[in-house]
């Protein structure tokens, strides 16, 4: 492939946009586009950390595993009748708001007492644990 010069991958925020970012990175890798720099904000920063914090041969698998854990597939399966998909997606969103996502967060509203040192509505400790498990921070910090 002809050299493109230096390539920077810039990833924005927007929650599920991160899954799109993963697909874009996978397509770039399949086309042998070498990324020299990667930056992001919000979910883009998480995606960038998953990419840069993984060995090159594990990057796509890491992205897929992250989204397998993070995403809900309610109503997206091909066997679900089309007219049931939107109600199932709404139920899934409500379930996430009420009970969280195991790999990402859980609501604090169910905790027995409110602590001023923990002011958010959601506890993201599970998300931190997921990132610690999936990102090699030594690799990430070494550039």
């Amino acid at each position: 492939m002809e050299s493109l010069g230096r390539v920077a991958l810039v990833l924005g925020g927007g929650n599920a946009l991160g899954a799109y970012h993963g697909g874009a990175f996978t397509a770039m890798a399949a086309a042998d586009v070498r990324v020299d720099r990667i930056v992001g904000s919000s979910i883009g920063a998480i995606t960038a950390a998953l990419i840069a914090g993984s060995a090159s041969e594990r990057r796509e698998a890491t992205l897929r595993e992250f989204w397998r854990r993070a995403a809900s597939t309610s109503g997206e399966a091909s066997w679900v009748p089309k007219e049931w998909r939107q109600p199932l997606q709404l139920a899934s969103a409500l379930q996430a708001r009420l009970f969280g996502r195991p790999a990402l967060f859980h609501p604090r509203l169910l905790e027995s007492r409110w602590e001023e040192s923990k002011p958010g509505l959601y506890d993201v400790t599970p998300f931190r644990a997921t990132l610690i498990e999936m990102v090699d921070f030594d690799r990430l910090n070494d550039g």
Side-chain angles (χ1 to χ4, degrees), residues 14-115:
N15 231 3
L17 188 57
Y20 173 83
H21 293 151
F25 174 79
T26 299
M28 291 172 71
D32 291 326
V33 175
R34 181 176 174 265
V35 175
D36 300 297
R37 301 276 190 263
I38 184 168
V39 298
S41 66
S42 193
I43 194 62
I46 299 301
T47 304
L50 291 164
I51 294 168
S54 298
S56 58
E57 67 275 5
R58 292 275 318 136
R59 289 176 176 157
E60 292 175 45
T62 298
L63 289 167
R64 288 182 194 281
E65 177 60 16
F66 175 79
W67 283 104
R68 185 194 66 75
R69 294 181 190 189
S72 168
T73 59
S74 297
E76 296 172 16
S78 61
W79 59 269
V80 175
K82 187 175 181 177
E83 59 274 3
W84 290 12
R85 290 182 187 163
Q86 185 176 12
L88 285 174
Q89 289 168 347
L90 291 171
S92 178
L94 180 60
Q95 179 185 18
R97 297 284 192 279
L98 293 175
F99 305 109
R101 294 270 185 245
L104 302 178
F105 64 92
H106 65 266
R108 291 187 195 274
L109 299 175
L110 301 177
E111 293 179 4
S112 60
R113 62 186 178 91
W114 188 266
E115 296 179 35

